[in-house]
């Protein structure tokens, strides 16, 4: 029997722990080290007093490790926000996740809506900027007639031919959509003085129509008192009225560089996090590939798994989805969530744990449901008999690491059954959701349903058997409740 401690830790604490472990008697402990995990094994075959003393020593060292296990307090980053219009709440969710993880943001650079979110990050008032996005509608950022609003919303059936002509005339006569409400909103929310006095650097991208040239401006290059005007210039979507500053006309900076990584690089940042909710321009692509060959730079991209509306779909409910998605995608990028189609907390293979917890008789029953016979030559029944069935059902490519094949199966079944993806699950919870689906609504379409029934029915029955016979023996992953509370607090 062994005691086991596993923890992610910063380098300094890791050295301290390894040094302490190295002082223990060699035959009484073992250390297994990977890229970001250290396992300390202590044998309990020594006298109780010695074990307790060593464990007490390890606890003293591990307490600060556990506190900092979910943080990156020593990591200084630049944050680059792309353009993406109404999807901007995604960037706020990503920032909140980075903040919760303890990153130190020393520079924020953005184009289009990214130039709007940048100052909000610098002002560091999550609830204020969150509520701003949750209250943002078409009419809070634009002055629109009803036909024009219906057109932007995609309510084409409500529009008559006459309405289309009216909208075209309005846009032509007015030179585009009037965004005076957006200017008033930004003036109310953004404190130019606070942005200028902050230790966090800020920059944006604009494109001069008058001179047909782009500009990447840092806060110290933007004239005093004109920050809001330059933000409006950077976010001047082509359908909007052109933004004019001192006689010079500007259009959205995203037409030149929608993902201004170059601004962070010019300021000397090596670790750059890019929240990309739009489309890169040719300039962005060239800049990225030119720099990506240099190992001294670290680029971390955070992108939406799903899009819930167009870049002009200003709906509070959609903004809420984007904010949550931005938070979860960031947590997934940094390894705190698993899964490619769903957000899964915990990395243990719970299907394996449930199967291994069954006695020999019930394991045989489970295997018979799966359509395989026990083989005395196979010591690990799960890896040797269960996983091959999962792999054959997946057909297409999957992650072949043990533990991920089963996760792929769960995600495939959950997607097929229409289980909500924008939520956090443990593997056990996702498995229970799958089993909650009745046979009548598991497969909704006749032909596809027949194929999926043929591919997955034995697996579904096998998983149902595991839940009934071993589900109660599987505990929630450590820290799951705290993570859910943290997630729920995003919208409170």
């Amino acid at each position: 029997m062994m005691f086991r401690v596993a923890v992610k830790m910063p380098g300094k604490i890791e050295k301290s722990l390894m040094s302490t472990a190295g002082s223990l008697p060699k035959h009484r402990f073992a250390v297994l080290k990977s890229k970001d995990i250290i396992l300390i094994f202590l044998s309990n075959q020594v006298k109780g007093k010695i074990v307790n003393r060593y464990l007490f020593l390890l606890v003293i060292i591990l307490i600060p490790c556990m506190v900092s296990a979910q943080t990156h307090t020593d990591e200084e980053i630049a944050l680059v926000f792309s353009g993406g219009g109404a999807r901007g709440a995604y960037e706020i969710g990503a920032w909140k996740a980075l903040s919760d993880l303890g990153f130190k943001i020393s520079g924020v650079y953005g184009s289009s809506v990214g130039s709007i979110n940048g100052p909000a990050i610098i002002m560091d008032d999550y609830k204020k900027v969150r509520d701003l996005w949750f209250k943002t509608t078409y009419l809070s950022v634009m002055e629109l007639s009803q036909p024009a609003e219906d057109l932007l919303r995609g309510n084409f059936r409500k529009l008559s031919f006459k309405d289309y002509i009216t909208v075209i005339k309005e846009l032509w006569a007015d030179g585009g959509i009037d965004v005076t409400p957006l200017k008033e909103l930004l003036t109310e929310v953004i404190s130019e003085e606070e942005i200028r006095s902050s230790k966090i650097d800020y920059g944006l991208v604009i494109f001069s129509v008058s001179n047909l040239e782009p500009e990447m401006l840092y806060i110290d290059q933007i004239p005093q008192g004109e920050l809001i005007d330059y933000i409006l210039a950077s976010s001047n979507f082509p359908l909007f009225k052109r933004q004019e500053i001192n006689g010079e006309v500007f259009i959205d900076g995203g037409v030149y560089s929608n993902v201004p990584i170059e601004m962070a690089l010019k300021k000397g940042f090596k670790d750059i996090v890019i929240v990309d909710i739009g489309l890169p321009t040719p300039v962005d692509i060239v800049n990225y590939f030119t720099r990506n060959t240099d190992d001294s730079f670290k680029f971390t991209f955070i992108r939406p798994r799903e899009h819930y509306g167009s870049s002009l779909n200003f709906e509070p409910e959609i903004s809420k989805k984007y904010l949550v998605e931005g938070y979860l995608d960031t947590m997934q990028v940094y390894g705190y969530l698993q899964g490619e189609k769903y957000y899964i907390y915990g990395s243990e293979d719970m299907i394996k744990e449930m199967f291994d917890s069954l006695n020999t008789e019930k394991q045989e029953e489970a295997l018979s449901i799966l359509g395989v016979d026990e083989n005395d030559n196979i010591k690990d029944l799960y890896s040797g008999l269960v996983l091959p069935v999962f792999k054959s059902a997946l057909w297409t490519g999957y992650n072949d690491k043990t533990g991920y094949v089963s996760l792929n199966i769960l995600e495939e079944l959950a997607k097929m059954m229409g289980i909500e993806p924008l939520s956090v699950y443990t593997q056990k919870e996702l498995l229970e959701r799958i089993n909650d689906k009745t046979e009548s609504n598991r497969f909704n379409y006749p032909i596809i349903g027949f194929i999926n029934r043929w591919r997955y029915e034995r697996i579904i029955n096998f998983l149902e058997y595991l839940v009934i016979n071993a589900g109660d023996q599987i505990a929630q992953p450590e820290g799951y409740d705290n993570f859910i509370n943290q997630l729920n607090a995003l919208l409170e």
Side-chain angles (χ1 to χ4, degrees):
M1 181 177 176
M2 306 286 283
F3 295 97
R4 171 178 168 176
V5 180
V7 62
K8 291 186 179 181
M9 61 195 70
K12 292 181 180 178
I13 299 176
E14 174 185 321
K15 290 180 181 178
S16 175
L17 180 56
M18 292 296 290
S19 175
T20 302
S23 68
L24 301 180
K26 298 292 183 182
H27 63 283
R28 290 174 181 164
F29 82 99
V31 178
L32 296 180
K33 180 182 176 186
S34 66
K35 181 179 180 182
D36 57 359
I37 294 288
I38 290 182
L39 301 181
I40 303 295
F41 292 87
L42 292 178
S43 170
N44 72 341
Q45 295 176 359
V46 295
K47 294 180 180 180
K49 290 184 180 179
I50 297 177
V51 171
N52 290 336
R53 186 175 67 201
Y54 289 158
L55 285 178
F56 177 73
L57 182 59
L58 284 173
V59 166
I60 291 175
I61 297 173
L62 286 174
I63 285 175
C65 297
M66 292 175 182
V67 171
S68 61
Q70 302 291 320
T71 64
H72 298 256
T73 50
D74 295 331
E75 297 186 36
E76 183 180 28
I77 63 169
L79 191 55
V80 175
F81 283 155
S82 82
R87 300 167 183 156
Y90 182 94
E91 295 176 337
I92 302 304
W95 161 61
K96 184 63 169 68
L98 292 169
S99 178
D100 286 349
L101 292 175
F103 283 97
K104 179 183 178 183
I105 299 170
S106 297
V108 184
Y109 309 100
S111 187
S112 196
V113 74
S115 73
I116 295 176
N117 281 332
I121 303 311
I122 294 172
M123 294 171 68
D124 196 25
D125 191 336
Y126 166 71
K127 287 190 175 181
K128 186 175 184 179
V129 68
R130 177 201 65 184
D131 293 345
L132 175 66
W133 272 104
F134 287 178
K135 294 175 183 177
T136 298
T137 64
Y138 287 94
L139 297 182
S140 67
V141 296
M142 319 174 207
E143 290 185 356
L144 294 171
S145 64
Q146 189 58 54
E149 183 178 350
D150 287 335
L151 181 62
L152 291 179
R153 288 179 180 274
N155 298 330
F156 304 121
R157 293 183 178 180
K158 291 185 178 181
L159 298 171
S160 64
F161 179 75
K162 183 178 179 181
D163 289 332
Y164 282 107
I165 298 300
T166 300
V167 172
I168 292 172
K169 285 183 177 179
E170 286 177 359
L171 295 178
W172 182 264
D174 297 338
I177 298 172
D178 188 346
V179 290
T180 298
L182 176 60
K183 181 174 183 177
E184 294 172 350
L185 192 61
L186 295 181
T187 303
E188 178 183 342
V189 172
I190 296 175
S191 168
E192 180 171 344
E193 181 181 352
E194 194 171 338
I195 304 306
R196 291 186 180 278
S197 62
S198 174
K199 293 181 180 179
I200 301 174
D201 192 35
Y202 170 71
L204 51 74
V205 185
I206 55 177
F207 189 89
S208 172
V209 177
S210 301
N211 300 324
L212 291 180
E213 62 181 17
E215 290 185 75
M216 292 185 173
L217 301 176
Y218 298 99
I219 186 64
D220 58 355
Q221 297 173 306
I222 297 173
Q224 184 76 35
E226 296 184 4
L227 176 60
I228 299 298
D229 292 328
Y230 276 86
I231 290 174
L232 288 169
S234 180
S235 56
N236 189 256
F237 190 75
L239 286 178
F240 296 167
K241 281 185 179 179
R242 297 284 70 80
Q243 176 70 17
E244 186 174 326
I245 304 175
N246 301 323
E248 190 172 356
V249 179
F250 296 92
I251 195 172
D252 198 304
V255 302
Y256 171 72
S257 176
N258 201 39
V259 190
I261 297 173
E262 191 68 18
M263 296 197 75
L265 293 171
K266 286 180 178 179
K267 285 291 186 172
F269 287 100
K270 300 292 185 181
D271 193 348
I272 302 172
V273 177
I274 303 103
V275 185
D276 183 8
I277 57 174
L279 294 173
T281 66
V283 170
D284 296 326
I285 295 171
V286 170
N287 284 340
Y288 171 70
F289 282 107
T290 300
R291 300 286 189 169
N292 196 42
T293 56
D294 188 339
D295 292 337
S296 65
F297 296 107
K298 178 184 176 184
F299 300 112
T300 302
F301 280 87
I302 300 169
R303 296 185 174 102
R305 287 187 180 182
E306 299 287 340
H307 284 296
Y308 299 100
S310 73
S311 58
L312 286 175
N313 202 339
F314 291 97
E315 299 281 0
E317 290 305 312
I318 289 178
S319 291
K320 289 179 182 179
K321 287 183 177 181
Y322 270 125
L323 185 139
V324 172
E325 185 185 32
Y327 188 89
L328 296 180
D329 282 344
T330 304
M331 289 296 185
Q332 194 273 338
V333 164
Y334 285 99
Y336 295 89
L337 295 172
Q338 310 299 318
E340 297 177 355
K341 300 173 183 175
Y342 287 79
Y343 301 100
I344 311 297
Y345 188 94
S347 58
E348 297 296 328
D349 185 345
M350 289 195 176
I351 297 178
K352 174 178 171 55
E353 288 185 9
M354 284 190 281
F355 179 80
D356 288 347
S357 71
L358 299 174
N359 60 36
T360 302
E361 182 181 350
K362 288 190 175 181
Q363 282 188 347
E364 290 177 0
E365 290 179 5
L367 291 173
S368 67
I369 292 172
L370 201 56
V372 296
D373 297 322
E374 188 173 354
N375 188 329
D376 293 336
N377 296 322
I378 297 178
K379 294 182 179 180
D380 186 344
L381 298 180
Y382 183 77
S383 298
L385 298 177
V386 176
L387 287 184
V389 177
F390 289 177
K391 293 176 183 179
S392 65
L394 286 169
W395 285 353
T396 55
Y398 56 86
N399 193 322
D400 199 24
K401 294 180 181 177
T402 300
Y404 286 90
V405 175
S406 57
L407 185 56
N408 290 160
I409 278 287
L410 290 178
E411 288 193 296
E412 192 71 21
L413 291 173
K415 183 179 180 181
M416 183 178 66
M417 296 177 185
I419 294 173
E420 172 59 48
L422 192 60
S423 186
V424 177
Y425 305 92
T426 64
Q427 291 184 44
K428 180 184 175 183
E429 285 179 338
L430 197 58
L431 180 53
E432 289 171 344
R433 293 290 183 93
I434 291 168
N435 286 338
D436 285 343
K437 291 284 185 178
T438 62
E439 188 172 341
S440 60
N441 66 10
R442 279 179 179 167
F443 308 105
N444 297 321
Y445 306 102
I447 297 177
I448 297 177
F450 173 79
I451 295 173
N452 285 334
R453 183 185 298 274
W454 172 70
R455 286 174 65 189
Y456 294 116
E457 188 165 32
R458 289 180 304 163
I459 294 175
I460 292 173
N461 292 336
F462 168 78
L463 296 176
E464 187 173 14
Y465 181 88
L466 293 184
V467 170
I468 293 171
N469 290 277
D472 293 340
Q473 301 179 38
I474 305 301
Q476 296 281 36
E478 185 178 352
Y480 177 63
D481 291 337
N482 289 336
F483 187 89
I484 294 300
N485 290 336
Q486 204 168 332
L487 180 63
N488 291 337
L490 290 179
L491 305 180
E492 292 177 353

